[in-house]
Amino acid sequence: MWARILGSAAGGGFPQWNCSCRNCDGARTGRLPVRARTQAALAVSGDRRGWFLVNATPDIGAHLARLAEPAAAAGGGSAGGEARGSTAGGEIRRSPVRAVLLTDAELDHTAGLLSLREGDGLTVYATAAVFRAAAPLLAILGAYQPVLRRVLEPGVDTPLDGYLSVRALPTGSTKLPRYAAHLPADPAGVVGYVFTGRGGAVLVYLPCVPELTPDLVTELEAADCALVDGTCWTDDEMALVGRPEKTSRSMGHAPVTGPGGTLPVLAGLATPRRIYTHLNNTNPLLVEDSAARRAVEAAGVEVAHDGMEFAL
Ligand SMILES: [Zn+2]
Ligand SMILES: [Zn+2]
């Protein structure tokens, strides 16, 4: 199984277009040692030719470009060449995306679906609750191409292709996107995913989690690689950008440090790779030489960046 981190920032990306916090300004001026990051998405593959995308962000154009490169080099076909008209059964049209899986219906995870409208059909995997919330977007997409909805039952391992299977993991969050706030709260409205490769390797992707419960910790512990919500360093971090009413937890994200912080939990796990992703632009972890970064690395935990790839 291969995994590629296509984007590693929370909603808005880093730097965020309308933000001039210390981190965002430092990124623009080059005065801080930081990497720019697109909004969080992951690609997983069992053959490195077709990829399962977890979340379709507004940055999906850059994400698809990243996926297309090695496929074109390895395939040797017409991909990447000049358009020569459509040939039935040929490779003039081809996509590196086998399907999209959604963890929730938030726009930073779903708006990119609309940019896939040129396709000849798209398979989307999600829980029934996420499909319900994302219905307006999927209805628009469905006017341009057939959308094949594959409903995932939480806790049930489901084969994706001959190489991979996936299981949706409820996170305890029932947060709904603002555009779907009228819907009833559902425990399967925000999930993580457990991918299992043919050889038994396990990858957990958990970009939005309000609390690392004992059940979730058991899942992380059984994984070879755990990608975990690193949105905010502290619960009150949004005060840095004048939004003290928006705590990390109120946005559905357990902070890295402070009461209920995820770092002490991750530090104690034997999971070979533990990686923070979905970082908000306010997070001091973004700064490569920060005390925050040093503390996380000393605990054996990594910080994701765009383009990070690993084989499991
Ligand atoms: Zn997000
Ligand atoms: Zn900022």
Side-chain angles (χ1 to χ4, degrees), residues 178-194:
R178 275 190 238 176
Y179 70 85
H182 58 284
L183 293 173
D186 191 303
V190 181
V191 299
Y193 284 115
V194 183

Side-chain angles (χ1 to χ4, degrees), residues 95 100 112-124 138-149:
S95 165
V100 176
L113 287 170
L114 300 182
S115 297
L116 294 171
R117 69 187 178 283
E118 297 89 355
D120 301 318
L122 183 70
T123 302
V124 179
L138 292 168
I140 295 173
L141 181 62
Y144 293 83
Q145 66 171 329
V147 178
L148 184 62
R149 291 168 170 78

